[in-house]
Amino acid sequence: MLDFLAEHQLYIVMIIVLMIWAGFLVYLFRLDGRISKLEQSVKK
Amino acid sequence: MKSATAKIGLVVWLTLVISAGILFPMVAAPQKWYELPIIPGLEEKARIIFFHVPMAWTTVVAFIASTIYGIRFLMTKNLDYDLRSVSAAGLGTMFCILATVTGSIWAKFNWGSFWNWDPRETSIFVLLLIYGAYFALRSAVDVEEKRATLSAVYSIIAGVTVPFFIFVMPRIMTGLHPGSKGDPQGAGPVVQFKMAPNMLLVFLSSLLGFTLLYFWMFNLKVRASRLEFHSQQPQE
């Protein structure tokens, strides 16, 4: 596995980018959920 | 960007685009559908077009949206349009900073220095200053109506300069950036959309994905701003 990554460094780049992307998406989805909850509580 | 299906679809779409943009191999003579051609002078560094150009494009979309909402505010005096205008300007500035930072990192490896005052770099720097002044203006006025009116007028003036700084100025001046006047490759394969079909497909998919991502983020920002606005209003 390490030999493969050492030979194909673009995969390391991709893993890091996808980790950042996943973190950003978690943030967006959680924000979306919290805003929806707040909107519902304001409507009530 | 309201339904969960659309959001998940966008997530899958952009994840595929990111993976393709990074992993599709660049070879001298492409044979397979996933092999991208090498662009002379750029080589592996050409991959930045799948991320940096869509960021700059999203900046334009956001700043134009800010201008349109500014105009609508002046026509209707509805403060909700002011919220939308400032939300679009905020996101546009964020994408503009991202485009500048990614471009600067690329410049280090392609031109040898993070910042060269190339016409393209100068124009995006001036654009950042223009929108920095927009937020300075907003923070300087306390009265809501006055702040909204002044910033709407400013956003129209700022919006008019956007196409000039992004599309016109860097193309009429000699510079290092691909697509500048005097570029050894003419206007360049990226600027004239003369890329290989598979490269063009990834590029256009990325443009679409980033634009949709902007609309989702814009929707969230406007909704959060509305909640903040209502929480500041005196309770009856």
Side-chain angles (χ1 to χ4, degrees):
Chain A
M1 180 68 183
L2 283 177
D3 288 344
F4 176 81
L5 288 177
E7 246 178 74
H8 302 87
Q9 289 164 2
L10 274 177
Y11 281 87
I12 297 174
V13 176
M14 197 189 75
I15 289 166
I16 293 167
V17 171
L18 287 184
M19 278 163 70
I20 296 169
W21 174 232
F24 180 65
L25 287 175
V26 168
Y27 168 71
L28 278 189
F29 275 108
R30 285 183 62 150
L31 188 66
D32 207 337
R34 283 180 186 182
I35 289 173
S36 299
K37 266 188 194 172
L38 272 172
E39 281 171 339
Q40 281 169 1
S41 68
V42 166
K43 270 182 194 171
K44 284 175 191 171
Chain B
M1 290 303 293
K2 282 184 180 169
S3 80
T5 321
K7 286 167 196 164
I8 291 167
L10 172 64
V11 169
V12 174
W13 180 269
L14 267 176
T15 307
L16 288 175
V17 167
I18 291 168
S19 308
I22 295 174
L23 286 188
F24 278 8
M26 289 193 156
V27 293
Q31 301 288 329
K32 299 181 175 118
W33 63 270
Y34 55 83
E35 287 176 340
L36 305 175
I38 290 173
I39 298 176
L42 295 177
E43 290 85 32
E44 291 286 344
K45 287 167 281 184
R47 291 182 195 281
I48 195 174
I49 63 164
F50 302 130
F51 309 102
H52 167 76
V53 181
M55 282 170 195
W57 163 252
T58 312
T59 303
V60 176
V61 172
F63 285 161
I64 298 297
S66 172
T67 305
I68 291 168
Y69 286 126
I71 294 169
R72 294 189 77 172
F73 169 77
L74 290 176
M75 288 165 72
T76 61
K77 293 289 174 186
N78 181 350
L79 279 174
D80 195 62
Y81 287 123
D82 178 55
L83 279 185
R84 293 186 205 190
S85 182
V86 69
S87 300
L91 283 174
T93 308
M94 189 202 75
F95 276 104
C96 194
I97 291 169
L98 284 174
T100 310
V101 170
T102 51
S104 184
I105 295 168
W106 178 84
K108 172 68 181 168
F109 293 97
N110 220 47
W111 304 336
S113 160
F114 284 111
W115 203 261
N116 308 275
W117 294 109
D118 177 76
R120 177 70 78 170
E121 289 175 328
T122 310
S123 66
I124 206 143
F125 179 69
V126 174
L127 200 59
L128 277 172
L129 287 182
I130 288 173
Y131 276 89
Y134 170 83
F135 291 104
L137 172 71
R138 283 190 73 87
S139 66
V141 185
D142 285 331
V143 185
E144 239 163 45
E145 285 278 336
K146 196 177 173 189
R147 179 176 62 209
T149 309
L150 281 173
S151 58
V153 172
Y154 187 91
S155 77
I156 295 167
I157 298 165
V160 170
T161 68
V162 171
F164 177 75
F165 281 122
I166 297 273
F167 299 115
V168 181
M169 189 190 135
R171 282 181 175 75
I172 58 173
M173 296 180 78
T174 310
L176 297 165
H177 195 281
S180 302
K181 188 184 171 198
D183 187 336
Q185 297 173 35
V190 179
V191 180
Q192 289 203 331
F193 291 96
K194 281 181 181 168
M195 287 181 265
N198 56 354
M199 205 170 181
L200 189 63
L201 184 69
V202 178
F203 174 66
L204 294 178
S205 305
S206 184
L207 276 187
L208 178 69
F210 268 84
T211 309
L212 293 175
L213 179 68
Y214 158 73
F215 282 113
W216 182 16
M217 291 170 73
F218 175 70
N219 173 272
L220 289 177
K221 190 148 173 45
V222 170
R223 284 162 62 201
S225 301
R226 276 184 197 139
L227 285 169
E228 195 184 345
F229 179 75
H230 288 299
S231 71
Q232 286 168 353
Q233 298 303 305
Q235 298 295 316
E236 288 166 8

